[in-house]
Amino acid sequence: MPVVPATEDAIHQAAQALAEGRLVAFPTETVYGLGADARNAQAVAAVFAAKERPRFNPLIVHVPDLEAAARYARLDPRARKLAETFWPGPLSLVLPKRADGGIADLVTAGLETIALRAPNHPVAQALLAAVDLPIAAPSANRSGRVSPTAAAHVEAELGDLPAMILDGGPCPLGIESTVVSLAGPEPLLLRLGATPREAIEEALGHSLSLPNDAAPIASPGQLERHYAPNTPLRLEVTDIRPGEALLAFGPDVPSGAARIINLSTAGNLAEAAANLFAGLRALDGAGASAIAVMPIPDQGLGEAINDRLRRAAKAR
Ligand code: TXA
Ligand code: MG
């Protein structure tokens, strides 16, 4: 059984496993990651194999802080400003890659850029400190499926492919990091996520355009179908059809669903984000004809929640 409580001992064993080129799943504040030594091409290849992930889709490299980030990428004043404002935290920065950083080419899918993030989770930070290596870590799910926000989800997705799954409890934010590219003249929002767009715009002092599905090369991970349960999803639902399960939001819930999970009875978007992937997973196992999802306001974290729901709902 690879799931172990993330004690100090277990974190040291996990660091050892990473240094030996094995894979370790660990909690971050957003979702669980499947980590590998980012300088070890074989270990990184094993991440792609475990996830069945397309090789053109690059990985985020996790570092403890800004100082470590500067070893792998060139940071201009905009990058420093965003890192100082939001790190450690759920913001990934796509930056010009330093050639002397020692990162395996497979991590960046051969691009001249690299995505870096300093996670704000005590277990992730303890692991980074113990291993003293850059950790490449995508979300610890099979490619295209719902991201894991609990150790048990990782085990359900990947079994014993990771040498260890560090259990740090449920992820407090529950939705992946926001990805911003600073590789070109204008900052680009590549993925909506747990750092709300408005907060980044305020730090930059100007607005960011929304990610554009027509520009897949800037954002190879934004494949249309993603975060997908097996049960079909029906969005913006106000009336339940027979046999449907309901993913609800807010206090006023329509009746008639075979099973209900409420993302936030108070209508709180942060609470809804934290419960989103676990809720989808639970309702996916409920044997319903479809998962009906109530409307969710499209502001703040609601933008990222709706982005995930739309991708999950794309027909196969
Ligand atoms: O919250 C998170 O970001 C989680 C935790 C584990 O840190 N990680 C995560 O990784 O969501 P993943 O692999 O599921 O998503 C990484 C995203 C993908 O959309 C990928 O295409 C994009 O980041 N990405 C990575 N490197 C890139 C690069 N050099 N240029 C453009 N996009 C990049
Ligand atoms: Mg992912």
Side-chain angles (χ1 to χ4, degrees), residues 28 30-33 53 57-60 62 92 94 111 113-115 117 137-139 176-177 179 190-191 218 220-222:
T28 80
T30 59
V31 301
Y32 275 72
R53 179 174 174 120
N57 190 5
L59 308 181
I60 295 170
H62 295 67
S92 296
V94 173
L111 298 171
T113 56
I114 183 169
R117 141 169 149 81
S139 50
E176 299 87 344
S177 64
V179 182
L190 297 185
R191 180 175 75 179
Q222 294 306 82

Side-chain angles (χ1 to χ4, degrees), residues 108-207:
T108 56
L111 298 171
E112 296 297 310
T113 56
I114 183 169
L116 295 170
R117 141 169 149 81
N120 183 19
H121 190 289
V123 173
Q125 280 288 342
L127 185 62
L128 284 162
V131 74
D132 197 23
L133 290 169
I135 303 179
S139 50
N141 51 278
R142 303 258 175 187
S143 191
R145 293 191 20 93
V146 181
S147 295
T149 55
H153 302 164
V154 179
E155 194 176 34
E157 289 288 319
L158 299 173
D160 58 7
L161 290 171
M164 284 173 85
I165 300 171
L166 289 173
D167 187 351
C171 300
L173 302 182
I175 205 156
E176 299 87 344
S177 64
T178 304
V179 182
V180 171
S181 172
L182 296 174
E186 292 303 323
L188 286 178
L189 184 55
L190 297 185
R191 180 175 75 179
L192 291 160
T195 301
R197 171 166 63 125
E198 296 88 332
I200 302 167
E201 290 175 334
E202 199 181 308
L204 286 171
H206 61 79
S207 63

Side-chain angles (χ1 to χ4, degrees), residues 72-297:
Y72 310 112
R74 291 196 304 278
L75 287 94
D76 66 10
R78 301 171 307 178
R80 285 181 188 278
K81 166 86 182 174
L82 291 186
E84 276 159 11
T85 308
F86 295 106
W87 283 3
L91 176 67
S92 296
L93 297 176
V94 173
L95 301 166
K97 182 171 70 169
R98 276 178 59 157
D100 59 355
I103 301 293
D105 279 340
L106 192 50
V107 170
T108 56
L111 298 171
E112 296 297 310
T113 56
I114 183 169
L116 295 170
R117 141 169 149 81
N120 183 19
H121 190 289
V123 173
Q125 280 288 342
L127 185 62
L128 284 162
V131 74
D132 197 23
L133 290 169
I135 303 179
S139 50
N141 51 278
R142 303 258 175 187
S143 191
R145 293 191 20 93
V146 181
S147 295
T149 55
H153 302 164
V154 179
E155 194 176 34
E157 289 288 319
L158 299 173
D160 58 7
L161 290 171
M164 284 173 85
I165 300 171
L166 289 173
D167 187 351
C171 300
L173 302 182
I175 205 156
E176 299 87 344
S177 64
T178 304
V179 182
V180 171
S181 172
L182 296 174
E186 292 303 323
L188 286 178
L189 184 55
L190 297 185
R191 180 175 75 179
L192 291 160
T195 301
R197 171 166 63 125
E198 296 88 332
I200 302 167
E201 290 175 334
E202 199 181 308
L204 286 171
H206 61 79
S207 63
L208 282 171
S209 49
L210 278 178
N212 178 358
D213 282 333
I217 293 161
S219 180
Q222 294 306 82
L223 302 171
E224 285 224 316
R225 187 171 164 78
H226 212 151
Y227 311 104
N230 295 314
T231 313
L233 247 66
R234 207 160 67 79
L235 303 183
E236 312 270 336
V237 166
T238 47
D239 288 298
I240 311 298
R241 295 178 187 160
E244 282 185 336
L246 177 65
L247 194 62
F249 178 81
D252 304 315
V253 176
S255 58
R259 174 129 186 247
I260 298 178
I261 287 181
N262 200 323
L263 292 174
S264 170
T265 49
N268 177 306
L269 289 168
E271 186 183 15
N275 291 329
L276 177 65
F277 291 142
L280 280 174
R281 234 170 237 281
L283 292 183
D284 198 20
S289 56
I291 300 170
V293 185
M294 284 176 66
I296 293 177

